[in-house]
Structures are given as C-alpha cells and as structure tokens.
Amino acid sequence: MRLTGFQVIECTANLMIGKPGGWAWGWGTVGFRVVRVLLVGGGGREHALALGLVGDPAVTALIAAPGNPGIADVAELRAVNATDPAAVAALAVEVEADLVVIGPEAPLVAGVADAVRAKGIAVFGPSAEAARLEGSKTFAKDVMTAAGVPTARAYTCADEESTARALDEFGVPYVVKDDGLAAGKGVVVTDDRSAALAHARDCGRVVVEEFLDGPEVSLFVVTDGEAAVPLLPAQDFKRIGDGDTGPNTGGMGAYAPVPWAPPGLVDDVMRDVVHPTLAELRGRGTPFAGLLYVGLAMTAEGPRVIEFNARFGDPETQVVLALLETPLGGLLHAAATGTLAGHPPLRWRPGAAVTVVLAAQGYPAAPRTGDVITGADRPGIIHAGTARRASDGALLSAGGRVLCGTATGTDLAAARDSAYALVDGVELAGSQHRTDIAAAAIDGRITIPG
C-alpha cells in the first residue's frame, strides 16, 4: 500500500508514517502523530535541537523563534521576545503548533511553559516553579537536602559578613555561585579570598559551597514528571583556556560518551539523584516535566551533584544528540504529554562525538561582535551567536560563543580530529578556541579520586 500525503497510523509500540514515495519510522508513544513544532531560542543548543527535530520523519514543520542563520536553513524563523510568556503563547497558537520545545533557561524561569500549556498546547519544558531548580541555587539545595541527594554542603549568603564566615568554614578552593541565572558564568572557583568576596558583592546573593574534588560529568534526563529516561553522559569544558585555566564560560566544548565513567554511573544517579528529586518536586505540588540536567562531580565518595539545570546543556546537547538514533520529536512529545513510560528504549549510534566552540575575541568578559565569518557553511558547523548583515547577507559574529564544530567518529580520537578540522576551516578575526577538548579522555589521563 502506498500513502499520499501524511497519515497517522497508531500501533502498539511505534508508528509507521507514510510519506510520498515510501515509509519512514517515527518512534514514539502510542498515538504519536505527525506534528508541527515551535522551537523557542536562538543559540547553539537550539540549532542542535533543530537538526534533531527535522531529522524525525514525524515532524512535518519546524518553526523557530527567534532562531539564527544556521537554524534558518532547516526551519521557518519568526520574531518573538522569548522571555515574554504571552507573546510566545500567542505565536504557538498562530503557527498551530502541536508541540513547543523551549531551549533556554530564561524563558522557562519567566513562565513561558506555563503560558503555552494554558493554551492547551503540549510543551517540552518545566513550569516556572519547577524551573527554580536552575533559577535559584538556594531552591535547588533545599530540594536536594529534602530528597537526600548527595551534594556539597552550602550556605546562602546575602552580606559580606556571612559570606566571609562561609568561605572560612569551607576553605580553599573557594566556590561562590550567583543564586540566580547567570548564563553559565555565575560561578567563581578560586584560591583568592578577596576575589571570592568580590564576586559575592557583584552578585548580591550567593551560595557558598564546599569544593567537590573530581572530574565532572553531565547527565541529561528526559522526564514527564513520573517516568525518566537518561541520555548518554557527556563531559563539557567550562574554562576559557587550555588545561582548565581562566574564567568560567558557558562552555567551550564537549564530548560523549565518557569512557572513564564507572559502569554503573547512570543507574546510580537515576536511583540516588533523579528519582528522589522528581518525587520531592511532585510532593511539593510542582512536578518537573522536561529536561533535567544533572551536573556531577565524581568524588572519592561517589557522584555528587554540583548543580541542576532545567534544560538541555550547551554545548553537551551538540554531542549527545549527534549520537541519538531514536527520533527526537517523538521522545520530547512523549515527555510533554505524560506518556514517556510507553516510549520504546532509546537507540544510539556507535562511536563518539566531539564539539569545539569557536568564541569571539574578548569572550567571556567583553566579546567583540560584528566581524565577518567565512567557512561556516559546512555540515557539522553549529551556529550559536551569528547574524546576517542586511545589506549583503554576510554572516557576522553576534555573541560570545559564535560557532562550534561538531563531528562524530568511530572513536573519540576520530571524532576529535574531525571536529577540529571543522573549526580550523572557519575564518573569524580574533577568534579563540581550546585545543584540548577530549584530549585527556583519549589519552586516559582522567582519574576519579580514590
């Protein structure tokens, strides 16, 4: 039998979606149908999500707001203030979206998911109350304490006197975190007490923590509030310079999978961290549905939570989704509609993935923008902070993290070589990138404290 146009075919575990000229598999929950998706955001994470969504044969249309020049190659772009709940909800109604996927944290904390749900539209992303897991470090610590989640001891401080006491109790290295959203750059880890105090003054309200010694791992978990499905662990690189030197950034690169991680890591984190956290939030009347990002330190005492985020991480999303073989639209739709328990097991491509971020001159303190970019029109180049010049369509830098080169390979070494080849082919005046992404993992130089 041959179908003309798109039709919905329900079956017990997956769907066959008829397309002109043949069949395609749309893996999802029972009753998942062809959908129009609105993707909110315009960074590298959203470009990676866009590529994953258009690769799902069940997604018939993708609209991105506001998007970026890279996303424009695969989606219709619409202008919107992404942190205005009413504006995003109105746009979702206007474009007749069946599913809204919210990429960045600021719209989630602002309540965009709540406004979209109020229109009766499925949305992948937690409520504003549940997104406080990322929006407030203090709230996250309260939840972890109540749920018995292993994490660092910490104090919330709003004045210099209490901050100084906390610093003296925990000692060096000092860890001071902005209590609110800071785009991944609100954390200072330093041996300089005066620098720690200065950061606290700049932030106003901070969480001072004991330092967790050990390599870091990021674990993404897709959840509908009850069921939870882990993705592949990844490792990202937060410091601007090689050898983890210089200030923190939003992330300068990542790789997946993590060859040095203990075999039972994911199961342990799901048991000891994810399910207790989800249960605690349900008990508070604020179930978390969307993407729970668990940032972990692999200490001598076992995995300890550094932070929670309420959305896909950037740049880890680029490598994790590059290896995901299961269609993305069906997975996110299942989480958005409370049917994740019926979703088939995830399927992964063999091999590894590496992404290397190309940042603007002056990033992270004062990135320079407006420079012409060439060589960014190849598969594997993910746009993060780019724009088109109106006069001639030239591609320009428009943010701190401008592009990243993302590649897969039979192993980490092959993926790394290909990722750096992509970055090396881009020309951007004054640009900077780390040269050691995934190198220590390939060389076997990462160890967990014993």
Side-chain angles (χ1 to χ4, degrees):
M1 179 177 69
R2 183 178 297 273
L3 302 184
T4 57
F6 285 87
Q7 298 182 25
V8 180
I9 303 171
E10 297 188 5
C11 59
T12 56
N14 53 57
L15 337 169
M16 291 187 296
I17 299 173
K19 284 189 171 182
W23 294 91
W25 288 98
W27 290 89
T29 58
V30 174
F32 177 50
R33 57 193 176 85
V34 292
V35 293
R36 294 172 58 83
V37 179
L38 171 63
L39 173 62
V40 177
R45 165 187 43 236
E46 287 75 41
H47 191 183
L49 285 166
L51 293 173
L53 288 166
V54 298
D56 186 335
V59 175
T60 61
L62 179 63
I63 304 97
N68 65 38
I71 298 173
D73 291 337
V74 296
E76 173 191 347
L77 300 191
R78 298 292 294 267
V80 76
N81 178 353
T83 57
D84 183 336
V88 176
L91 179 60
V93 172
E94 179 188 339
V95 302
E96 300 180 320
D98 302 296
L99 172 66
V100 175
V101 177
I102 302 173
E105 60 273 23
L108 294 168
V109 172
V112 169
D114 304 85
V116 173
R117 286 194 182 96
K119 298 293 185 182
I121 299 172
V123 57
F124 182 80
S127 66
E129 185 64 22
R132 291 178 65 203
L133 272 184
E134 178 168 5
S136 169
K137 302 292 190 300
T138 298
F139 177 77
K141 283 292 184 182
D142 288 344
V143 170
M144 283 187 264
T145 299
V149 168
T151 187
R153 294 183 299 131
Y155 294 107
T156 298
C157 306
D159 59 74
E160 188 156 333
E161 182 180 354
S162 62
T163 301
R165 285 198 305 269
L167 293 175
D168 292 341
E169 178 173 337
F170 293 139
V172 294
Y174 304 113
V175 180
V176 183
K177 299 180 177 181
D178 191 332
D179 189 40
L181 293 178
K185 292 170 284 189
V187 180
V188 164
V189 181
T190 179
D191 290 345
D192 185 338
R193 190 173 184 275
S194 61
L197 286 169
H199 180 64
R201 282 194 298 271
D202 291 342
C203 296
R205 178 181 167 95
V206 296
V207 172
V208 179
E209 294 186 353
E210 64 176 339
F211 177 72
L212 295 174
D213 186 24
E216 297 182 13
V217 175
S218 301
L219 181 66
F220 297 167
V221 179
V222 174
T223 178
D224 59 11
E226 293 272 358
V229 176
L231 305 186
L232 284 181
Q235 185 179 49
D236 76 329
F237 295 76
K238 295 182 175 65
R239 302 272 189 166
I240 186 68
D242 285 2
D244 294 326
T245 57
N248 273 338
T249 71
M252 294 300 294
Y255 66 88
V258 180
W260 50 266
L265 174 63
V266 172
D267 289 341
D268 291 346
V269 173
M270 294 299 290
R271 181 194 65 229
D272 298 335
V273 175
V274 174
H275 287 298
T277 298
L278 295 178
E280 174 63 23
L281 290 170
R282 289 196 303 270
R284 295 179 180 219
T286 57
F288 186 103
L291 195 290
L292 180 63
Y293 170 120
V294 185
L296 299 160
M298 303 301 298
T299 74
E301 291 75 35
R304 296 291 183 267
V305 175
I306 300 170
E307 65 177 350
F308 285 133
N309 289 331
R311 39 69 192 181
F312 281 98
D314 186 349
E316 299 99 317
T317 301
Q318 286 86 313
V319 292
V320 172
L321 294 189
L323 296 172
L324 180 64
E325 191 170 82
T326 295
L328 183 63
L331 176 63
L332 303 189
H333 187 269
T337 55
T339 56
L340 190 60
H343 193 280
L346 300 187
R347 294 176 289 123
W348 297 94
R349 298 181 178 93
V354 173
T355 192
V356 179
V357 171
L358 187 73
Q361 179 177 314
Y363 178 76
R368 190 176 76 189
T369 60
D371 290 313
V372 173
I373 305 165
T374 59
D377 55 352
R378 291 161 296 151
I381 295 292
I382 302 292
H383 290 237
T386 64
R388 290 286 180 192
R389 188 159 60 195
S391 60
D392 60 2
L395 187 66
L396 305 178
S397 60
R401 293 186 296 169
V402 181
L403 300 163
C404 60
T406 304
T408 59
T410 54
D411 55 23
L412 270 180
R416 182 178 188 274
D417 288 345
S418 296
Y420 274 104
L422 285 168
V423 169
D424 290 343
V426 174
E427 294 187 10
L428 171 62
S431 64
Q432 54 181 321
H433 65 271
R434 286 184 59 156
T435 65
D436 62 348
I437 303 301
I442 292 168
D443 296 341
R445 290 186 279 115
I446 300 179
T447 57
I448 299 172

